[in-house]
Amino acid sequence: VSGKSGKGVLFSTQFQRAPGYGVVHFTNEMLLDKRDSLEGKRCLIIGSGKVAQGVARKLIQYGAKPITMSDISGHIYEPDGITEGKLTTINQIKAERGALLGRYIISSTTAQFNHPENILDIPCDICIPCGAMNEIDEAAANLLADNGCKMLVEGGNGCVTPEARKVLKKRGVQYGPHTMTLTGPALMHNLGDQASDETFKAEISRVYKEVKNTATEFNARGDLFTGANIAGFLRVANVMIMHGAV
């Protein structure tokens, strides 16, 4: 146990995984709201860092099929899904300093590397970009919709451009904004030593409902981007009022 924080190794591990796990728990909440589930969903992950690895692990636990991961060398595509064993191999490769994802192709007889050339040409149910800001622009959003994507959930800050958000809304692709989906670490920190995946999941369910209800209250029913922004503003404003700053 850490002498400074009083938090053990278990909490530390959970906190490290919180961003990726949180993204997937929010994805699950969005699907439950539509009377659907993650079971069997083909999920396009963009990125292969710690968040993307956490996303893949939790998707597998939910029974979904993460089918891609990527880095600067390109992307790998597992048509039948990335299993726990394959994810362990990917994680080991990425843990080596300077190692690129392309090495994974040596250890897999089923993976395709940079085929098709554009990762967004791969049909999916859900896309979870965990990479750079503005990675999903207007053209990318249209391509995803053309290939059957029904939901896009941000696993990175500002991955979707404002123009792309409009496309997603127009094309009927459900959108989970990073202002909601990346609150996992803060929620985990607030839970402290009592944190478990179940309590974490319950907190995420609570936040999702707050965002959804706020959007409805402010005449933006179903718009989680607006709901998250307003809910965040109200939370800060209420604290300022409590402290006499307003």
Side-chain angles (χ1 to χ4, degrees), residues 2-43:
S2 167
K4 288 185 177 180
S5 67
K7 294 180 172 61
V9 174
L10 179 60
F11 178 84
S12 176
T13 301
Q14 290 172 328
F15 189 81
Q16 289 171 10
R17 293 176 176 174
Y21 281 21
V23 169
V24 179
H25 282 320
F26 273 115
T27 305
N28 183 58
E29 288 295 323
M30 292 166 68
L31 285 165
L32 288 176
D33 217 15
K34 301 291 184 182
R35 299 183 179 180
D36 202 349
S37 75
L38 274 164
E39 184 72 33
K41 293 291 188 295
R42 291 172 60 81
C43 302

Side-chain angles (χ1 to χ4, degrees), residues 158-236:
C159 293
V160 179
T161 66
E163 294 76 19
R165 287 201 300 269
K166 294 176 183 177
V167 170
L168 295 175
K169 186 174 183 178
K170 182 178 180 180
R171 299 291 301 271
V173 178
Q174 196 173 2
Y175 170 54
H178 74 270
T179 44
M180 176 184 76
T181 62
L182 293 183
T183 56
L187 297 176
M188 183 65 77
H189 180 77
N190 287 337
L191 288 170
D193 291 331
Q194 303 305 311
S196 69
D197 197 50
E198 284 304 310
T199 57
F200 184 44
K201 183 179 177 181
E203 269 298 281
I204 280 175
S205 181
R206 179 190 64 77
V207 171
Y208 174 76
K209 289 179 175 63
E210 179 184 345
V211 169
K212 175 190 171 185
N213 292 338
T214 301
T216 301
E217 181 182 352
F218 286 86
N219 298 317
R221 185 182 180 87
D223 187 340
L224 298 177
F225 178 76
T226 298
N229 285 344
I230 295 175
F233 170 80
L234 291 174
R235 187 175 292 271
V236 172

Side-chain angles (χ1 to χ4, degrees), residues 55-66 82-85 87:
V55 165
R57 183 179 299 278
K58 184 53 67 175
L59 284 173
I60 293 168
Q61 292 174 7
Y62 266 110
K65 291 184 178 182
I82 296 170
T83 63
E84 282 278 7
L87 180 60

Side-chain angles (χ1 to χ4, degrees), residues 150-161:
K150 301 299 182 185
M151 179 181 291
L152 188 150
V153 181
E154 285 184 310
N157 287 303
C159 293
V160 179
T161 66

